[in-house]
Amino acid sequence: MGYARFAVWYLRLVAFVNFLSAVWMSLGQDVRRHNQEDLFTPYLLTAGFAPGVFTAFLAITMRRRKRAAWILNLGLGGAFLALFAFAMAFPEIRRHPQNWVSFGLTTAFVGALVLGRREFYAKGDRANPKLAAVVAVGGLLASSLLAALLVTATDRARAASTFAERWRYGTLRLVSISDFRSPAITTPNWVDVAINVLSTALVLAVLYAAFRSRRAVDPLTRDDEERLRELLERHGERDSLGYFALRREKSVVWSPTGKAAVAYRVVGGVSLASGDPLGDPEAWPGAIEPWLAEARAHGWIPAVMGASEEAGTVYARHGLGALELGDEAVVEVADFTLDGRAMRTVRQAYNRVRRAGYTVRVRRHENIRADEMARLVRRADGWRDGATERGFSMALGRLGDPGDGRCVMLECADAQGEVKALLSFVPWGPKGLSLDLMRRDRDSENGLMEFMVIELLRRAGEIGVTQVSLNFAMFRSVFERGARLGAGPVLRLWRSLLSFFSRWWQIESLYRANAKYRPIWEPRFLLFEKSADLPRIGLASARAEGFLEAPGLPGRLRRGHLETHR
């Protein structure tokens, strides 16, 4: 075990004992008595829920190798050890064996910090100290006023104290380690507990501000975008998601030769790449290594959404694990047909929409006049479900941009010539398309999207397209294998759970909607470094895709996902 790992496990153990002391009253009393008498407990072992939260937070930041956390622990731990060493000079302190154990553990912890100093390399944001100071001062003022108002509203002996005294009482309970009380103020126990919770929240807010990872990253420059487009021209046919690397809020890391690149975005401390690296596969490791090195240098969690099996294998050689997310539906134009019994339902739906007078126009974006494109963009925005533009790994997020002239637009008009639905596809190499955007008027005929996709597949030769990537179906294999005869109980249970959640997230409906075109299913993977990071990666992915509209607060999940977004 390395020095850094020892320090992290020490903090985890202390956090566990602190939490245990909060629910095991006799243990908590013993720990507090040791701290109040001639006995010392190891560094940070003080008992209670708030100390447990504080220590657990330090353990998390130390596990991420944050340099600021190392400095804080070395400063606090070193000062405590120096005080402890001075106290051990007195015979009445040395005579207790418990003190020798505590002294040894504290010395081992501080020693591990000193010896493992090079293992704590992750940089924080330069603005963190100033932000932490602002949060501390502003938070203390706000929380102390809130505590004072709470004490004023519940003080049973209000006449015996002034507001200033009640404010002082609330402030001291916020910042005091001991159980502070005032003879002139009588409040219910739950008020003191509420103030302690406020204190814990304030401490966590200050710590978060002090230790947060660097947020701002350099977005794509014009030179980066031009170089990425050159890679797409040479190797773009390898990955249907390659064009989405051109989203301009992403950053890019290049291989030393410039023949490969990893595009990513930092969300909530997660360095989130999407799809495969761009460029020559032989040069992929040269881009993956600096991307991982940058993530570790800043304390970011590295993760990849939607990697292919080929890229996943390369990432695995660099220490990332894989979890199958689902499958991408790819239709080979030459193999698609509406003939046959299996396509009867699709054929009938297509013919019904066509008889209703709907027509489809297929054009490259570069062939649409600017004023006409502006009208289409306004219509697409008006049909969007919610104010937030969804998408990150499989959406471009900038319909009508002049730089995307090779994208393909499908416009579906009714019998009166009014546009009722739009599809937009990005280039996938010289002869492929990848679905970017699906929008339609909610009052239009059902089945417009299927009608438009079939029209594209039937007329693909007009624009020189031989393959089309459609929607991504999460957990597609679960629905398919779980419905087969002989499926095991675990698989059937997993399928039932996904079907239940499909009422809101349309997981199964996306699979069904894609399956009707009889596509080739290409598996896509989530890549990660540690399993413990998966919850945080999931939250970061949801934020990047637009399903969480604010950090930590769940936004309204998009309904009609099939018709609005890939």
Side-chain angles (χ1 to χ4, degrees), residues 416-438:
Q416 288 72 42
E418 184 177 357
V419 176
K420 293 293 184 179
L422 296 172
L423 287 181
S424 183
F425 292 80
V426 300
W428 171 17
K431 295 184 178 180
L433 293 177
S434 187
L435 179 60
D436 172 33
L437 185 97
M438 305 179 78

Side-chain angles (χ1 to χ4, degrees), residues 278-347:
L278 271 67
D280 186 349
E282 293 186 0
W284 284 358
I288 293 172
E289 289 168 3
W291 170 64
L292 290 174
E294 183 182 45
R296 288 163 184 153
H298 292 289
W300 298 329
I301 297 171
V304 184
M305 285 184 63
S308 70
E309 190 167 4
E310 179 185 12
T313 302
V314 178
Y315 275 111
R317 295 176 191 149
H318 292 79
L320 299 188
L323 178 67
E324 186 172 349
L325 278 178
D327 296 84
E328 175 189 12
V330 177
V331 180
E332 295 289 342
V333 173
D335 298 334
F336 179 78
T337 178
L338 282 176
D339 299 331
R341 184 177 181 84
M343 300 297 290
R344 178 183 177 186
T345 302
V346 178
R347 185 170 61 249

Side-chain angles (χ1 to χ4, degrees), residues 130-203:
K130 184 182 296 184
L131 178 63
V134 171
V135 171
V137 174
L140 180 60
L141 178 61
S143 57
S144 64
L145 283 172
L146 182 59
L149 292 174
L150 189 59
V151 171
T152 299
T154 58
D155 185 11
R156 291 190 287 265
R158 189 182 309 173
S161 62
T162 64
F163 181 77
E165 290 174 331
R166 293 190 289 271
W167 191 358
R168 175 177 175 271
Y169 174 86
T171 304
L172 288 175
R173 281 209 67 90
L174 281 170
V175 301
S176 177
I177 298 176
S178 61
D179 189 14
F180 175 80
R181 295 190 179 277
S182 172
I185 296 174
T186 305
T187 57
N189 287 333
W190 67 266
V191 173
D192 294 337
V193 172
I195 295 175
N196 290 338
V197 171
L198 272 177
S199 175
T200 303
L202 176 59
V203 169

Side-chain angles (χ1 to χ4, degrees), residues 344-363:
R344 178 183 177 186
T345 302
V346 178
R347 185 170 61 249
Q348 289 176 342
Y350 171 80
N351 290 331
R352 174 178 55 80
V353 175
R354 186 178 61 178
R355 286 194 301 269
Y358 285 89
T359 57
V360 174
R361 189 177 188 182
V362 182
R363 291 184 288 176

Side-chain angles (χ1 to χ4, degrees), residues 35-36 73 91 109 115 153 175 207 308 357 392 466 480 529 565:
N35 281 321
Q36 292 168 1
N73 275 289
F109 175 75
L115 295 173
V175 301
L207 288 174
S308 70
F392 165 72
T466 60
E480 185 175 277
E529 196 168 38
H565 171 237

Side-chain angles (χ1 to χ4, degrees), residues 240-484:
S240 64
L241 307 186
Y243 198 87
F244 299 120
L246 298 177
R247 284 182 69 105
R248 290 175 185 141
E249 82 272 27
K250 291 184 178 180
S251 301
V252 64
V253 171
W254 294 91
S255 67
T257 61
K259 294 182 178 180
V262 172
Y264 67 96
R265 177 184 169 194
V266 178
V267 184
V270 177
S271 181
L272 199 60
S274 59
D276 296 354
L278 271 67
D280 186 349
E282 293 186 0
W284 284 358
I288 293 172
E289 289 168 3
W291 170 64
L292 290 174
E294 183 182 45
R296 288 163 184 153
H298 292 289
W300 298 329
I301 297 171
V304 184
M305 285 184 63
S308 70
E309 190 167 4
E310 179 185 12
T313 302
V314 178
Y315 275 111
R317 295 176 191 149
H318 292 79
L320 299 188
L323 178 67
E324 186 172 349
L325 278 178
D327 296 84
E328 175 189 12
V330 177
V331 180
E332 295 289 342
V333 173
D335 298 334
F336 179 78
T337 178
L338 282 176
D339 299 331
R341 184 177 181 84
M343 300 297 290
R344 178 183 177 186
T345 302
V346 178
R347 185 170 61 249
Q348 289 176 342
Y350 171 80
N351 290 331
R352 174 178 55 80
V353 175
R354 186 178 61 178
R355 286 194 301 269
Y358 285 89
T359 57
V360 174
R361 189 177 188 182
V362 182
R363 291 184 288 176
R364 296 278 180 181
H365 285 202
E366 61 191 8
N367 297 324
I368 303 175
R369 297 195 317 270
D371 59 335
E372 191 177 356
M373 177 63 80
R375 287 196 299 271
L376 293 176
V377 171
R378 285 195 297 270
R379 283 183 176 271
D381 289 341
W383 294 333
R384 184 172 62 208
D385 182 15
T388 302
E389 183 74 72
R390 311 295 183 187
F392 165 72
S393 57
M394 301 178 185
L396 195 58
R398 54 168 193 258
L399 182 65
D401 189 280
D404 302 317
R406 297 304 295 166
C407 293
V408 172
M409 179 77 78
L410 274 72
E411 306 153 56
C412 185
D414 60 14
Q416 288 72 42
E418 184 177 357
V419 176
K420 293 293 184 179
L422 296 172
L423 287 181
S424 183
F425 292 80
V426 300
W428 171 17
K431 295 184 178 180
L433 293 177
S434 187
L435 179 60
D436 172 33
L437 185 97
M438 305 179 78
R439 298 276 169 81
R440 75 173 179 89
D441 188 338
R442 298 293 176 178
D443 298 326
S444 61
E445 187 86 16
N446 287 329
L448 287 193
M449 293 302 168
E450 290 81 357
F451 177 70
M452 296 171 74
V453 170
I454 293 171
E455 278 290 287
L456 172 64
L457 295 174
R458 296 184 68 175
R459 297 163 53 185
E462 299 176 11
I463 51 176
V465 169
T466 60
Q467 56 185 353
V468 177
S469 170
L470 298 174
N471 281 300
F472 174 76
M474 288 192 68
F475 307 115
R476 192 272 314 177
S477 60
V478 175
F479 291 110
E480 185 175 277
R481 291 186 286 112
R484 293 177 183 171

